[in-house]
Amino acid sequence: MLAPALIGCEGALSTLDPAGPAAQSIAGVWWVMMAGSLLILAVMMGLILWPFFKRHQPRKVPEKLWLWGGGLGFPLVVLAALLAWGLPAGQSMLAGRETQVYTVEAEAFQWGWNFRYPDRAGMTAEVLHIPAGEPVDVAITSLDVIHAFWVPRLAGKVDAIPGTTNTLRILAPEPGIYDGMCAEFCGLEHATMRFQIVAHPAGEFEAALAAELAGQDQP
């Protein structure tokens, strides 16, 4: 049961090996936060050790400096910078105002996924087919409890909520297979609720999707 702790950190579900632009933005925020945290830790450790090296030269520091500078000013500067850096990452996952973006539907249920395509009869189970190199909006909902749609190498997670549709924009720059999973605990089989996104070359997408749908049992 230790493997789930590594999800998002290595392998096919790694957020540290981003492929799409949204995932790259998220990874950039993570690396900035990591570097900033280490820098702040180094400064704090330096302040702690400083008196031991200067114990024969005591110096009184005004309390207001610690209170307003360290307790208020420093956190505000750090949080404001992080907010300014992180907002574009979240914005990159939102559906824009373009009307020509290819849109698919993702239906979550205990414990699986169904995917539907515009102007197509039928659906695919556990596998979402998209054209590579093009933005795709995924309209996400749930048929029972709250789930979450997460493809770490392409974008962040978005909740799948019954009676509500949330839209996530993804873009796979290269053809290939990208693993995804439910990232919201939803019951006993939550850990097995996974799916794949197959990105086809743009010129082959329609034929590949038609062949896949033709081989599916229609509901």
Side-chain angles (χ1 to χ4, degrees), residues 36 67 77 85 95 98 101 122 132 144 161 173 182 189 191-192 195 198 206 219:
L67 178 62
V77 170
W85 183 270
E98 302 91 335
V101 175
D144 39 44
I161 303 174
C182 174
E189 299 299 323
T192 66
F195 62 94
V198 179
E206 291 294 341

Side-chain angles (χ1 to χ4, degrees), residues 90-114:
Q91 190 69 25
S92 66
M93 297 189 299
L94 300 179
R97 297 181 179 180
E98 302 91 335
T99 58
Q100 300 300 318
V101 175
Y102 190 77
T103 302
V104 299
E105 298 177 5
E107 292 180 343
F109 60 91
Q110 293 177 311
W111 287 275
W113 297 87
N114 288 327

Side-chain angles (χ1 to χ4, degrees), residues 62-73:
E63 293 182 1
K64 289 185 177 180
L65 176 61
W66 291 111
L67 178 62
W68 295 106
L72 186 62

Side-chain angles (χ1 to χ4, degrees), residues 6 16 25 30 41 50 71 84 94 105 108 113 115-116 130-131 156 163 169 178 200:
L6 299 178
L16 303 182
S25 296
W30 187 91
L41 176 62
W50 181 257
L94 300 179
E105 298 177 5
W113 297 87
F115 301 103
R116 303 180 187 277
I130 64 172
R169 175 158 298 179
Y178 303 87
H200 302 273

Side-chain angles (χ1 to χ4, degrees), residues 68-90:
W68 295 106
L72 186 62
F74 179 72
L76 283 177
V77 170
V78 172
L79 292 176
L82 185 59
L83 179 64
W85 183 270
L87 280 178

Side-chain angles (χ1 to χ4, degrees), residues 102-109 112-118 122-130 136-145 147-151 158-168 170 181 193 195-197:
Y102 190 77
T103 302
V104 299
E105 298 177 5
E107 292 180 343
F109 60 91
W113 297 87
N114 288 327
F115 301 103
R116 303 180 187 277
Y117 306 85
M123 61 186 180
T124 57
E126 321 304 341
V127 180
L128 171 60
H129 298 268
I130 64 172
V136 175
D137 285 348
V138 185
I140 303 163
T141 190
S142 170
L143 301 180
D144 39 44
V145 300
H147 302 277
F149 182 97
W150 188 36
V151 188
V158 170
D159 284 343
I161 303 174
T164 300
T165 299
N166 294 322
T167 302
L168 173 69
I170 59 175
M181 64 176 297
M193 190 173 165
F195 62 94
Q196 289 184 325
I197 291 182

